[in-house]
Amino acid sequence: MSRAPATAPAVTAAVGAALAARVERFVAQAPLFTAELWGEVGRRSAAAGPEMSELVDAARAADGGKFVRPRLVATAFFGLGGDDEVLLRRVAGAQQLLHLGLCMHDDVIDGDRVRHGRPNVIGLGERDAHSAGLDASAAARQGAASGILAGDLALNAAILALLTAPTPVASRARLAETALEAVERTIAGELLDVRSELVAPARSQPLQVALLKTASYSVTLPLTLGAIAAGADDAATLGALERVGSAFGIAYQLSDDDLGLFGSPAITGKSAMSDLRDGKRTEHIRLAHARAAEGDRALIDEVLGRADANERDAARVRAVVTATGARAAVHDLIDRHLDHGVRVAADDLPPALAAHLADLARTLRTRER
């Protein structure tokens, strides 16, 4: 007896497109549901005084971007049959606040004062301190304090949002526990990333950093939160989402590193020298350093981590990364991770969700080329 072609390519593409359209309609409201949560923070903290209100306002102003993570929450939620959009708004908003909190802390670690092309919380705090008459050192301390405290505030608000979500208590606890476990893994990845600056490129572990720091909270967590909110509790589905998230997350970080070295600042909004100046041990650098001749290896050692590295230095490092085949190898790694994620989704997830994730893989595949 022949089976109906329920998962034929045309049918799969159609259901994937329908899911994508539903996700995009929801994500178009993302600024509203994050604003709702910031409003709750503001009301809870209003009695603490104007300083706290100013911090909340600065943190709220840092919101924005492409809302990639709330989009992934919605993808898993709708793809696994979820239909309570009131619950989804809260879970997706919590995911966005968690992302913002980690970004604020990351900016403190990296010494960044700009995000999305405008002053971040650190930059705003430092600017206000200068305006109040503080010297450069004191202003920098004020800015860093603002970034740390605003990040703490966002992370706290995210967990509170999950613990008060309109779903049974057991589900709330599971959502919050899942988020906190992801934060813990992200801290481990951030620490490994920072400590890698103390070791030679050959001893660095950029793929492990990508797994812990990026994949964990940027892809795996939002997919898992969406699944839990939709009522999915079977180990097979959650395990498949974790494998897809890990594969896509590593690919995303490798792509981001590629843009960080070869991308146009006009498109990325980030200097193509900042990773080199920060001494970041990317997979590009690790492979190039291992493959390069002695003179080119010495060049990488000279430029990596040098605060005054210029465009000529960056161009020379790019040439080594390209000539050694390191960039091509990273592109191959991206493709292999994406292919693995797509296969897992096709084998173990509903057709519409698998098709939508395959579309996501296609956008990631071309992001760095």
Side-chain angles (χ1 to χ4, degrees):
M1 179 187 239
S2 62
R3 295 178 59 191
T7 57
V11 175
T12 301
V15 295
L19 172 59
R22 191 176 184 188
V23 168
E24 291 309 310
R25 283 195 298 273
F26 174 80
V27 174
Q29 307 170 55
L32 297 178
F33 54 72
T34 55
E36 290 170 3
L37 294 184
W38 280 122
E40 292 178 17
V41 176
R43 288 189 289 276
R44 286 195 299 264
S45 59
E51 294 83 4
M52 189 65 170
S53 295
E54 290 168 5
L55 184 66
V56 172
D57 289 344
R60 188 200 305 253
D63 203 353
K66 299 177 181 177
F67 295 96
V68 170
R69 292 152 194 86
R71 179 176 281 104
L72 289 171
V73 175
T75 294
F77 181 83
F78 290 134
L80 292 170
D83 59 7
D84 184 351
E85 292 201 18
V86 174
L87 171 60
L88 177 58
R89 285 171 71 93
R90 196 159 188 87
V91 174
Q95 173 68 67
Q96 178 69 1
L97 290 192
L98 190 148
H99 165 60
L100 291 173
L102 291 172
C103 284
M104 291 171 192
H105 287 168
D106 198 49
D107 285 347
V108 174
I109 292 169
D110 293 342
D112 291 335
R113 291 164 175 79
V114 175
R115 186 172 282 271
H116 301 310
R118 60 180 187 268
N120 58 16
V121 177
I122 303 166
L124 293 172
E126 194 167 315
R127 183 197 65 190
D128 291 346
H130 276 303
S131 298
L134 273 63
D135 63 23
S137 176
R141 179 174 173 273
Q142 289 289 323
S146 294
I148 292 168
L149 295 172
D152 290 345
L153 193 64
L155 292 174
N156 186 73
I159 301 305
L160 276 175
L162 295 175
L163 288 172
T164 56
T167 189
V169 172
S171 181
R172 296 180 204 167
R174 193 173 181 196
L175 288 166
E177 181 181 7
T178 300
L180 288 170
E181 288 175 351
V183 169
E184 193 172 81
R185 288 192 295 273
T186 303
I187 291 169
E190 183 72 66
L191 179 63
L192 184 60
D193 193 19
V194 171
R195 293 291 170 82
S196 70
E197 297 172 17
L198 304 176
V199 303
R203 293 179 54 206
S204 64
Q205 303 176 65
L207 295 182
Q208 181 70 356
V209 170
L211 176 63
L212 292 171
K213 181 180 172 182
T214 304
S216 177
Y217 98 87
S218 284
V219 188
T220 303
L221 175 62
L223 289 175
T224 303
L225 290 181
I228 293 171
D233 58 3
D234 61 295
T237 296
L238 295 177
L241 289 173
E242 181 173 358
R243 294 194 299 277
V244 172
S246 295
F248 282 15
I250 291 173
Y252 182 89
Q253 184 59 61
L254 292 173
S255 171
D256 206 53
D257 292 340
D258 196 76
L259 289 170
L261 186 59
F262 291 93
S264 166
I267 296 174
T268 65
K270 173 183 177 181
S271 168
M273 291 180 289
S274 61
D275 284 352
L276 289 176
R277 288 172 173 168
D278 292 341
K280 187 172 182 181
R281 270 62 170 166
T282 64
E283 186 68 0
H284 295 73
I285 294 297
R286 188 189 72 81
L287 289 173
H289 195 273
R291 297 176 176 192
E294 184 176 348
D296 287 337
R297 191 177 301 123
L299 167 66
I300 294 174
D301 289 336
E302 175 193 348
V303 174
L304 195 63
R306 206 179 78 208
D308 64 347
N310 56 35
E311 178 54 39
R312 179 174 177 272
D313 296 323
R316 293 165 69 198
V317 171
R318 288 186 206 110
V320 174
V321 170
T322 301
T324 57
R327 190 184 189 199
V330 170
H331 286 179
D332 182 60
L333 268 176
I334 292 170
D335 287 340
R336 284 193 278 134
H337 277 91
L338 292 176
D339 288 343
H340 175 66
V342 169
R343 285 196 301 273
V344 170
D347 289 344
D348 299 324
L349 294 173
L353 180 55
H356 188 41
L357 290 171
D359 286 339
L360 174 61
R362 279 189 283 274
T363 66
L364 286 174
R365 200 182 301 275
T366 58
R367 184 171 178 252
E368 82 295 341
R369 307 301 166 85

